[in-house]
Amino acid sequence: MTRSLEPAERVQAVGPSGIRRFFEIAEERDDVISLGVGEPDFSAPWAARDAAIQSLERGKTSYTANRGMYDLREAISSYVADRFGLEYGPDEEVLVTAGASEAVDLAFRAFVDPGDTVAIAQPAYISYGPGVTFAGGEVLPVRTREEDDFRLTVEALEAAGAEAADLLVMCYPNNPTGAVMTRADLEPIAEFAREHDLAVLSDEIYAELTYDERDADASPGAATHASIATLPGMRERTIVCNGFSKAHAMTGLRLGYALGPAGATGAMNRVHQYGMLSAPTTAQYAALEALDSCANDVEAMVDQYGRRRRFVISRFREIGTPCFEAKGAFYVFPEVPDGWDGSANDFAERLLREYGVAVVPGDVFGVGGEGHLRVSYATGLEDLREALARIESFVDEHV
Amino acid sequence: MSEREVLELLRENARYETADIARMTDLDEDEVADAIEALEAAGIVRGYQAVVDWDRLEDERVRAEVELNVTLDRETGYDDIAERLARFPQVKALRLISGDYDFDMEVEGDSIREVSRFISEKVAPVPEITQTVTHYVMASYKENGIELGDGEDDDRLSVSP
């Protein structure tokens, strides 16, 4: 920092997001169907919105406790126990944040010292790398592969040299691939973490959005979400981040939470209390209601995503574009079609300019994303039909 | 159960193509066609209609919700009265309900006069009907689960993380 407001080196080290450019191109035309959005097309359940409105009517506009309203922490504690087998006490082990993104950022600022190495399973959500850089850490990409269904493996960790890392960041169900890791998949990862004394940041924002378990014929080995924090010896070395943006369609309310041992969430709260102070009060009331009475709304949304997921995968395969069978989140991650003479970036840019369909090239999500496209199905079926028809025309014309 | 899933999709949008329903359910097209045929044959799916926002049409369309109270005797049951009323084309829906009155009847016509005449001349004289209370629909905000407002624009960013 200088008197001329020269940005700090770690800020300069982070370039503009690769997504930003596509956003700007998309804004140039008015007939774009966007499959590039990372948020639900549903509004938050009405009961949650109504609770937010009521809280305002009652004048609940003050700060809450730094850690979040006690009732909400208690509700989160019960919810994660019931739903995911995660046992965290509301007093000192739950921290309510302004979105799961704040929880992730707090973890980097609380646990990463300058020069520390943070292994990130990639392709990954675009904010992890910059977050590590802002905290002064070094990013170590760990490449997951399509042949492993984009699951993290010990081989991938070893190939990247992750045994020397200080922190491992993983996100399952995954943005952008839609990959899910089952308990069996996580066991060797947990063993690796214990063996090399590795802390884990597990972003589970898409935890509710898995589809196998809802299929009537789901096999016992179906891909349902499991949290690595529930594995032996992992609770004490894991921070779990989650929130209300995805499953409860509350992106704009910015409400998330972190779960971890008292000392760890205490350290995060130390950063939080000087920066954010407390998560938005109105959103906390909405979240409390969401947990209390909106499970059916979540289920209805997940049913819709499940149908669209099958539709989109099926259409990509008909078009002749290899498409990994995503099991979670609301993205599919197809390859650019065989015979396309260029990068995924070129494909996405020309598709947008020529046919008005916005998708995100896999490159922006880090290593392993090259040659792929992230396609969100958080869009109504009529738009999905039209977008896939346009993609088919584009492929017919150019490939 | 696949029939149930097909049924839910048809209720969502009866114009979904068989191929699209197949893609969404992981069934093949023949299975979807069979399921639809079976639902129709079993009388579970009784027809397909558009959900119309009449307020947007210039032509007047008058609709009324009519509460009916009836008295029964040994020879006449609810089903008999219902059968008699349901035959009128003006009656768009007829339900036996619990509560303060017996039947809930939806009536449609081209004018208030037409609807009023239908109720006074065809419905009220039915011997078992002891009372009719007519509520004219002034505006409709939701029909068959579909909101009839202008809808909420998608204000999400076109590309986001």
Side-chain angles (χ1 to χ4, degrees), chain A residues 340 345-356 394 398:
Chain A
W340 171 256
N345 203 75
D346 296 335
F347 185 96
E349 186 166 336
R350 289 188 60 185
L351 176 66
L352 179 52
R353 287 192 191 282
E354 295 174 26
Y355 280 81
F394 179 79
H398 294 293

Side-chain angles (χ1 to χ4, degrees), chain B residues 12-145:
Chain B
E12 185 177 287
N13 184 348
R15 294 191 69 188
Y16 280 147
E17 289 174 15
T18 311
D20 286 342
I21 295 176
R23 291 180 184 112
M24 285 188 276
T25 52
D26 270 352
L27 299 170
D28 62 40
E29 282 191 55
D30 288 344
E31 288 173 315
V32 173
D34 289 348
I36 294 173
E37 202 179 313
L39 287 164
E40 290 170 354
I44 296 168
V45 171
R46 306 296 288 241
Y48 302 90
Q49 292 187 334
V51 177
V52 177
D53 187 349
W54 292 105
D55 295 347
R56 289 174 190 251
L57 285 178
E58 286 180 13
D59 301 341
E60 193 183 11
R61 194 75 191 153
V62 174
R63 293 193 296 159
E65 300 278 339
V66 186
E67 301 172 6
L68 300 179
N69 271 308
V70 300
T71 52
L72 304 179
D73 56 41
R74 286 185 184 171
E75 276 75 43
T76 314
Y78 287 123
D79 290 349
D80 301 310
I81 299 165
E83 193 178 346
R84 179 169 180 179
L85 292 172
R87 290 179 199 276
F88 289 107
Q90 292 92 332
V91 176
K92 299 301 174 188
L94 181 66
R95 304 178 187 95
L96 180 66
I97 59 170
S98 63
D100 291 341
Y101 51 101
D102 300 308
F103 285 102
D104 177 35
M105 183 170 75
E106 285 177 33
V107 178
E108 257 183 43
D110 289 334
S111 64
I112 289 183
R113 183 179 151 79
E114 183 188 318
V115 171
S116 301
R117 283 185 61 172
F118 169 68
I119 293 163
S120 60
E121 293 177 9
K122 302 294 181 188
V123 179
V126 172
E128 294 83 5
I129 292 178
T130 55
Q131 187 183 31
T132 68
V133 179
T134 304
H135 305 270
Y136 286 98
V137 175
M138 297 168 71
S140 184
Y141 301 99
K142 193 173 184 180
E143 294 282 349
N144 285 35

Side-chain angles (χ1 to χ4, degrees), chain A residues 48-282:
Chain A
R49 284 186 273 162
D50 191 49
I53 293 165
Q54 279 190 37
S55 77
L56 289 170
E57 286 174 345
R58 295 200 319 267
K60 303 290 185 186
T61 53
S62 310
Y63 295 128
T64 66
N66 296 132
R67 274 187 176 272
M69 286 166 13
Y70 190 80
D71 287 354
L72 176 58
R73 282 183 275 147
E74 224 173 13
I76 290 168
S77 176
S78 305
Y79 162 73
V80 296
D82 291 347
R83 197 71 190 84
F84 308 117
L86 290 161
E87 302 286 343
Y88 291 94
D91 294 307
E92 296 186 300
E93 296 182 323
V94 177
L95 172 63
V96 178
T97 58
S101 295
E102 194 214 347
V104 170
D105 186 53
L106 290 174
F108 292 145
R109 293 204 278 157
F111 305 118
V112 176
D113 277 321
D116 277 358
T117 301
V118 178
I120 301 177
Q122 296 184 355
Y125 173 54
I126 60 169
S127 297
Y128 301 140
V132 169
T133 304
F134 292 143
E138 305 283 340
V139 172
L140 178 70
V142 179
R143 180 188 191 125
T144 63
R145 296 173 185 281
E146 183 157 6
E147 51 265 40
D148 298 320
D149 291 341
F150 288 111
R151 289 172 295 187
L152 179 61
T153 63
V154 170
E155 293 72 35
L157 288 165
E158 287 173 346
E163 57 277 0
D166 301 284
L167 178 68
L168 167 65
V169 181
M170 50 193 288
C171 170
Y172 292 96
N174 182 264
N175 171 9
T177 64
V180 167
M181 287 187 72
T182 62
R183 193 172 176 82
D185 298 327
L186 290 168
E187 275 167 2
I189 307 301
E191 192 179 332
F192 183 91
R194 290 191 299 266
E195 187 182 340
H196 300 289
D197 195 21
L198 198 55
V200 174
L201 173 58
S202 182
D203 182 346
E204 300 177 14
I205 187 72
Y206 294 99
E208 285 278 9
L209 307 185
T210 66
Y211 305 102
D212 267 9
E213 66 185 309
R214 287 175 164 79
D215 287 351
D217 57 352
S219 63
T224 56
H225 173 71
S227 175
I228 195 167
T230 59
L231 272 66
M234 292 307 296
R235 189 182 187 281
E236 56 266 41
R237 61 177 67 251
T238 303
I239 295 291
V240 175
C241 297
N242 204 331
F244 296 84
S245 290
K246 309 300 181 180
H248 294 90
M250 286 167 49
T251 45
L253 279 90
R254 310 305 308 130
L255 206 78
Y257 52 91
L259 310 168
T265 56
M268 291 167 69
N269 190 32
R270 219 170 305 155
V271 182
H272 173 75
Q273 70 185 349
Y274 291 114
M276 184 60 65
L277 282 78
S278 62
T281 304
T282 310

